[in-house]
């Protein structure tokens, strides 16, 4: 992948978050009053510093793991499996949130431009998610170029916007709003807590930076160097656009829309360009880059699930990266989770932000700590500098994590704080279970195979073609075949036994009058009887015929009891259950009885 | 069953319908104006006549079918299976409607007495339905006496109400409202159509009369005579109560509540007794008898479904009256359908009435026509009188059916008119399918069993205990056992083949590198290859190991692909699929890896 293609594909997540970063800061400061808006500037500055730290730290991640790191791998390798699992959990929580936040912000760009769409926010977001699901299920191998275009269009729009806006301010073309001037006194109510809350909200603009370090092998060689320079370019672009939008929104005196229907970015764009075609192009480019940002999660989640499943930290069905179905499970799971989030939080970015960055910063912290450990252990050339850089990164991201968790706790962060340990326990249990199964299954290659015989039970409901074929098949498998008949009355038994006698194919019929008015229990009891009589040296197999009809609705007309018998027998007894399919041919019968007379 | 017990149990459906009959007439007349209320009197008179005709007709049904008729049986026997199916369909539609109407009217008695419950109408109705479902799933064998009490209480309340009301009017204790006086001119807007609509609505009070004739064998002997006298008593009670309530509501100038939150019966009761404890007892008795009326459907529906399934007119799983599960299917189906109706029609009786009586009157008409045919065919002593009685019954109920269908068409009857032929086609298709299967399965008892061999395929994912046990079991069944291994790369194949060689248990391993990134297709192709090589004289059986974990959540961690392979193989190929269960023992493993370090 050449860097001109890698930049848009891998940084859509990071770049797109400028679409809501400034807005979230202003919304928090707005709880104090318009006069507090000015403090968005120092906060934005702090976030730019944070971006700088992260860029430098992650350049070192690229150096350390040129084969593509990923926080889960870095933490597992350097801190141990338990910390790796914690990282995995935080990423697992993060992926659906990224989808939900990006899609909701994308729809916000639409509702900003076309207010008529406001009543349809929730359906719009959920439809977008499932379009993503559908595209990803079909496979996106050749989609690189498609993704490149809108990202460059977005970057172009943003640079144009900032350029024209700054030019207007510099030339005095607009009246600079009072919000850009520092208040002479600290506004009443503007506590440190509020500032930290606003800072936490702004940190949502930092998410997505790690994507490049996860995908180093995809870069054109020399891949590590190309990845590093791409990361640097991303950092510069991100800083310019985020800083620019923040300054412009203060200069133009933008007030964020508390209903969340119109985005701050839309308000700024409208002030600078007017509501003309450039404005609409910008909104559409914003929507598109945000949708592609969501798409990066659809790429990342199945890969993470697969890696974690390989480490037995996630259900096995997600495991095979080669198997198309494993991937499908991952994509559909992500689609369901993010649709759920969008539904519960009414498809509004502002509602989702308090949950968003915890997972990101937890994984940042753990990945950096892992690297610190690695440098310390290896102590190669230049390890001290590297250790210091990642150490600072780890400490700073940890502090942000703490700030975020505390200041946003009541507005929603508690959900993530509660969910994380629960999920951690769950995947630990999963791992223990798989370990225990593996140790149970292990055998010595020299052990002989167990020697057993077999008894075959064929439940019969009468004498017809399917019964005959099943009995014949059973006789090829074992000399011990028993037919088992359940009746609800003695007359039925008598009739059946007589007919069986007449048929006489050398198979013993055991009849049973069900006292329980059910079929399954007598069968289980019969199996138990056979097991006890044969002193357990023989495996019991039950052959159940199953009709395979030609049309789907005909399935509802057959096999209900076979299906039930099968699942109960397997769950309760050590019995092999074989299903003998009988494909119905649908012979036409005389329709005499089916017409009105 | 003594008659004192049979009356309440079998007539709760019919008696309870007086709780809404008058109300529905007044609501229709109310579309013209209060002045039209008077015409409720002649309409009620017409309905009383109709009740008379039905009572006489159904006494003949009892005579003709002392073993318990039921419209479905009568129509099937005398008119042929197609007409029987039509009767069955109309009853099938009717049962959930009876439940919905009775339960909603019962809840209306509650909301009338306790207006605080009005916001909870829909949940209340649905909860009541599922309480009914639960009671019926547990079995109601000993519930006769419980049902008797509230019905007698309701009858007592009604007779008290009518007695006291008539006494008040007779003694001039109340001012008789103008609505009881015939208007001097016909009110503007009171067309014949409106009168017929009102009559149709009132016919809802007639439903349930057939119940006694369905249950003749349950009567104490001489059962037919006891049933006939019970039916007569029901007719008299029904006429007195329905007529009485209609007269009282006119005399007291009751206006029905258009919101449907307060019932006319409640308004009358309140006028006569005041809002004292007698009023509340009456409301509760009303609610109870209506709930028991719903219960009669829960008894009737599974029986009808079972009879129809025996005639192959309904899915087989409903068939076995002896099997507890068949009954459960019927009860739960009825619960789902009536909950759906209550939800869609907001739990309001008034919304459900336009759908209600079509099924009832269609089955009335068909049952009577069946009897006419029977009398004509048999021409026993007195057949002329009998034929005339049932002929009149058939004609009158058919006229009511037509009046109902036309006048209520737009308000909801169209749904039933559309649904009836659709269901009729559906069950006709069901019957044809079962007939065709039966003819396909029929064999001659002297035919020899087919002679075939067997090939057993064991898909393996590695070499472990389960694979060893499955291979050992396969070897007891057939000399032709093949292990089948699917890999995603050549190295995997190489590694596996080497290990297999070393293990060497006399079973050939076939390996396969999946180009499709899926497991199922290579397996199907392999089965096809074996089938073609062996020229189809041998049955192929695939043995799939399945883990049976100890805890439910662990199921999510296993068997996904086994389950999928099984269902695809069975649907596509003529292959026997056997599931070999392996019960996990959950050995504790060293927890070293699961703790934070």
């Amino acid at each position: 992948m050449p860097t001109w293609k890698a930049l848009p594909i891998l940084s859509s997540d990071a770049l797109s978050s400028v679409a809501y970063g400034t807005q979230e800061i202003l919304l928090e400061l707005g709880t104090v009053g318009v006069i507090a808006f000015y403090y968005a500037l120092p906060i934005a500055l702090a976030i730019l510093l944070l971006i700088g730290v992260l860029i430098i730290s992650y350049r070192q991640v690229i150096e350390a793991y040129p084969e593509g790191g990923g926080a889960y791998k870095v933490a597992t390798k350097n801190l141990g499996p338990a910390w790796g699992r914690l990282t995995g959990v935080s990423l697992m929580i993060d992926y659906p949130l990224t989808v939900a936040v990006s899609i909701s912000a994308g729809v916000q760009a639409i509702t900003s431009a076309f207010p008529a769409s406001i009543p349809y926010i929730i359906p719009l977001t959920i439809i977008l998610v499932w379009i993503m699901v559908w595209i990803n299920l079909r496979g996106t191998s050749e989609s690189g170029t498609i993704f490149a275009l809108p990202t460059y269009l977005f970057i172009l729009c943003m640079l144009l916007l900032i350029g024209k806006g700054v030019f207007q301010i510099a030339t005095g073309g607009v009246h600079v709003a009072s919000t850009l001037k520092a208040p002479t006194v600290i506004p009443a109510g503007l506590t440190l807590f509020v500032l930290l809350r606003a800072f936490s909200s702004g940190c949502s603009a930092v998410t997505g930076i790690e994507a490049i370090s996860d995908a180093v092998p995809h870069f054109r060689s020399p891949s590590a160097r190309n990845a590093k320079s791409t990361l640097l370019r991303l950092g510069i672009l991100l800083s310019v656009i985020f800083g620019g939008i923040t300054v412009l929104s203060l200069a133009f005196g933008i007030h964020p829309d508390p209903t969340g229907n119109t985005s701050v970015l839309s308000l700024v764009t409208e002030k600078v360009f007017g509501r003309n075609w450039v404005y609409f192009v910008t909104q559409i480019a914003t929507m598109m880059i945000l949708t592609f940002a969501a798409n990066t999660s659809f790429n990342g989640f199945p890969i993470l699930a697969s890696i974690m499943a390989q480490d037995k930290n996630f259900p096995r069905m997600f495991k095979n990266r080669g198997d198309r179905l494993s991937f499908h499970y991952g994509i559909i799971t992500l689609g369901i989770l993010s649709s759920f989030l969008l539904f519960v939080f009414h498809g509004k970015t502002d509602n989702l932000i308090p949950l968003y960055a915890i997972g990101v910063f937890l994984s940042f912290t753990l990945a950096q700590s892992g690297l610190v450990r690695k440098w310390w252990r290896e102590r190669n050339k230049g390890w001290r500098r590297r250790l210091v850089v990642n150490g600072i990164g780890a400490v700073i991201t940890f502090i942000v994590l703490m700030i975020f968790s505390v200041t946003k706790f009541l507005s929603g962060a508690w959900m993530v704080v509660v969910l994380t340990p629960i999920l951690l326990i769950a995947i630990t249990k999963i791992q223990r279970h798989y370990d225990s199964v593996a140790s149970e299954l292990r055998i010595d290659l020299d052990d002989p195979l167990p020697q057993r015989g077999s008894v075959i039970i064929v439940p019969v409901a009468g004498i017809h073609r399917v019964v005959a074929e099943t009995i014949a098949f059973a006789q090829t498998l074992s000399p011990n075949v028993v037919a088992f008949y359940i009746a609800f009355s003695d007359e039925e038994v008598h009739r059946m036994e007589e007919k069986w006698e007449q048929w006489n194919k050398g198979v013993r019929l055991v009849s049973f009058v069900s006292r329980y008015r059910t079929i399954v229990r007598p069968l289980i009891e019969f199996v138990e009887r056979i097991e006890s009589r044969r002193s357990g040296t023989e495996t019991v197999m039950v052959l159940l015929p199953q009709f395979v009809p030609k049309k789907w609705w005909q399935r509802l007309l057959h096999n209900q009891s076979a299906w039930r018998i099968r699942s109960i027998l397997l769950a309760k007894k050590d019995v092999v259950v074989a299903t003998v399919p009988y494909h119905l041919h649908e012979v036409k019968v005389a329709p005499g009885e089916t017409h009105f007379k």
Side-chain angles (χ1 to χ4, degrees), chain A:
Chain A
M1 195 155 53
T3 47
W4 70 264
K5 217 164 159 178
L7 177 74
I9 292 174
L10 296 171
S11 53
S12 64
D13 186 5
L15 280 178
S16 68
S17 44
V18 303
Y20 43 84
T22 305
Q23 167 177 315
E24 300 306 324
I25 298 175
L26 292 182
L27 276 170
E28 284 299 341
L29 294 174
T31 57
V32 173
V34 174
I35 194 162
F37 280 176
Y38 169 79
Y39 293 91
L41 270 195
I43 288 170
L45 215 64
I47 291 169
L48 289 184
L49 272 175
L50 181 62
I51 292 174
V53 170
L54 283 169
I55 297 287
I56 296 169
S57 307
Y58 267 87
R59 282 167 65 97
Q60 291 199 164
V61 176
I62 293 171
E63 274 171 27
Y65 289 96
E67 75 277 17
Y72 173 75
K73 229 180 189 172
V74 175
T76 306
K77 276 196 183 158
N78 296 304
L79 301 175
W83 291 104
R85 273 196 295 279
L86 179 59
T87 316
V89 163
S90 67
L91 290 170
M92 287 265 156
I93 296 176
D94 201 50
Y95 277 118
L97 278 166
T98 303
V99 174
V101 166
S102 302
I103 293 281
S104 64
V107 168
Q108 198 184 25
I110 297 297
T111 54
S112 305
F114 310 100
S117 59
I118 290 172
Y120 310 108
I121 289 178
I122 299 179
L124 272 175
T125 56
I126 290 176
I127 288 168
L128 271 175
V129 167
W130 289 95
I131 290 176
M132 291 274 96
V133 168
W134 180 71
I135 290 174
N136 280 283
L137 286 182
R138 292 192 54 221
T140 46
S141 51
E142 289 307 309
S143 49
T145 323
I146 306 177
F147 287 165
L149 210 72
T151 308
Y152 279 120
L153 181 64
F154 177 75
I155 294 173
L156 181 73
C157 288
M158 289 299 106
L159 295 181
L160 259 178
L161 173 72
I162 292 163
K164 189 174 177 197
V166 169
F167 179 79
Q168 285 175 337
I169 297 167
T171 57
V174 287
H175 169 74
V176 171
S178 65
T179 39
L180 196 60
K181 283 152 203 149
T184 46
V185 291
I186 292 171
L190 187 75
T191 56
L192 182 65
F193 189 76
V194 172
L195 282 174
L196 290 177
R197 271 181 75 103
F199 169 75
S200 303
S201 289
C203 283
S204 57
V206 171
T207 54
I209 283 185
E210 74 289 355
I212 290 175
S213 72
D214 296 351
V216 185
H218 294 300
F219 277 84
R220 187 170 281 176
S221 138
S223 54
R225 217 175 61 196
N226 282 332
K228 278 169 69 181
S229 75
T230 307
L231 186 60
L232 188 64
R233 259 174 272 176
L234 165 64
I236 294 167
L237 271 174
L238 191 56
S239 306
V240 169
I241 299 176
F242 175 61
I245 289 172
T246 308
V247 170
L248 286 189
S249 60
L250 293 184
F252 284 93
I254 302 295
H255 296 189
D257 173 11
T259 67
N261 294 329
T262 313
S263 71
V264 163
L265 184 59
S266 158
L267 294 170
V268 174
T269 316
E270 200 177 345
K271 285 269 183 178
V272 172
F273 292 125
R275 215 174 169 89
N276 57 9
W277 65 270
V278 188
Y279 166 83
F280 284 104
V281 168
T282 308
Q283 289 313 110
I284 288 165
T286 309
M287 195 277 277
M288 286 172 87
I289 195 180
L290 281 160
T291 310
F292 295 144
N295 194 64
T296 59
S297 291
F298 278 101
N299 291 326
F301 185 82
I303 296 177
L304 177 68
S306 156
I307 297 175
M308 287 179 70
Q310 277 163 34
D311 292 352
K312 295 178 181 163
N313 281 327
F314 211 61
R316 193 147 55 184
M317 61 186 196
F318 292 93
K319 180 172 154 187
N320 269 325
R321 223 200 281 205
D323 183 15
R324 210 190 303 148
L325 206 82
S326 277
F327 247 73
H328 288 192
Y329 284 133
I331 289 162
I332 289 168
T333 306
L334 184 59
I336 292 170
L337 292 176
S338 41
S339 301
F340 174 76
L341 285 172
L342 285 165
F343 184 77
V344 169
F345 293 97
H346 306 297
K348 294 280 172 87
T349 316
D350 307 342
N351 301 340
L352 287 156
I353 288 292
L355 286 74
Y356 187 29
I358 294 190
V360 179
F361 278 91
L362 182 53
S363 68
F364 279 166
T365 308
L366 290 168
Q368 310 264 359
S369 310
L371 279 187
V372 168
R373 182 100 176 242
K374 179 188 164 82
W375 305 135
W376 175 254
R377 210 153 28 192
E378 294 177 357
R379 289 184 225 176
N380 290 332
K381 186 170 153 283
W383 69 273
R384 283 202 182 79
R385 189 184 51 81
R386 291 204 172 99
L387 191 145
V388 170
V389 167
N390 286 124
I392 292 172
V395 169
I396 288 184
T397 48
F398 181 71
I399 291 172
V400 174
L401 173 65
M402 285 297 112
I403 292 175
F404 198 101
S405 308
V406 171
T407 59
K408 296 282 180 174
F409 192 79
L410 292 177
S411 17
W414 66 268
M415 290 182 236
V416 180
V417 172
V418 168
L419 194 62
T420 303
I422 292 176
L423 283 180
L424 189 61
I425 291 169
I427 67 170
T428 306
K429 280 204 159 190
I430 288 175
Q431 198 227 24
R432 274 198 202 155
H433 173 75
Y434 280 136
D435 278 350
S436 125
V437 170
S439 84
E440 194 176 334
L441 296 190
R442 210 164 289 135
I443 54 167
D444 195 323
L445 288 187
D446 300 328
D447 283 349
L449 288 182
Q451 292 292 331
R452 322 192 90 197
S454 59
V455 182
I456 300 185
I457 301 173
V458 182
V460 295
I463 296 174
H464 52 61
R465 191 175 304 281
V466 175
V467 169
E469 295 200 353
T470 311
I471 295 269
F473 175 62
Q475 285 181 326
T476 68
L477 300 177
S478 170
N480 309 317
V481 179
V482 191
F484 186 65
Y485 178 67
I486 296 164
F488 291 115
S489 71
D490 289 329
E491 303 94 76
E492 278 184 282
V493 169
H494 185 68
R495 228 179 302 137
M496 179 68 177
E497 280 179 346
E498 222 161 50
K499 213 176 160 194
W500 192 266
E501 198 70 37
Q502 190 191 338
W503 193 44
N504 186 23
K505 300 295 174 195
V507 170
R508 193 160 66 94
L509 178 75
V510 175
S511 306
F512 193 92
V513 178
S514 171
R515 283 161 295 155
Y516 310 105
R517 312 194 135 201
T518 152
I519 311 170
V520 182
R521 252 163 80 178
L523 187 57
I524 288 183
E525 286 187 1
F526 184 60
V527 168
E528 275 166 2
R529 237 196 301 161
I530 284 189
E531 277 178 342
S532 67
R533 273 196 202 155
R534 306 239 169 196
S535 66
T537 55
E538 279 162 326
T539 305
V540 178
M541 173 152 83
V542 177
L543 287 190
L544 293 174
Q546 173 163 312
F547 291 103
V548 182
K550 290 209 153 176
K551 288 170 190 153
W552 67 266
W553 60 267
Q554 295 169 343
R555 283 197 205 180
L556 301 173
L557 307 178
H558 297 284
N559 304 325
Q560 267 78 15
S561 46
W563 187 86
R564 230 162 34 91
I565 291 171
R566 192 184 161 275
S567 51
I568 295 177
L569 275 183
L570 285 175
K572 295 204 172 161
K573 296 269 105 199
D574 214 0
V575 165
V576 178
V577 183
T579 309
V580 184
Y582 183 81
H583 293 259
L584 292 173
H585 303 291
E586 282 294 313
V587 193
K588 276 263 177 302
V589 284
E593 287 282 74
T594 58
H595 286 310
F596 286 97
K597 276 183 287 203

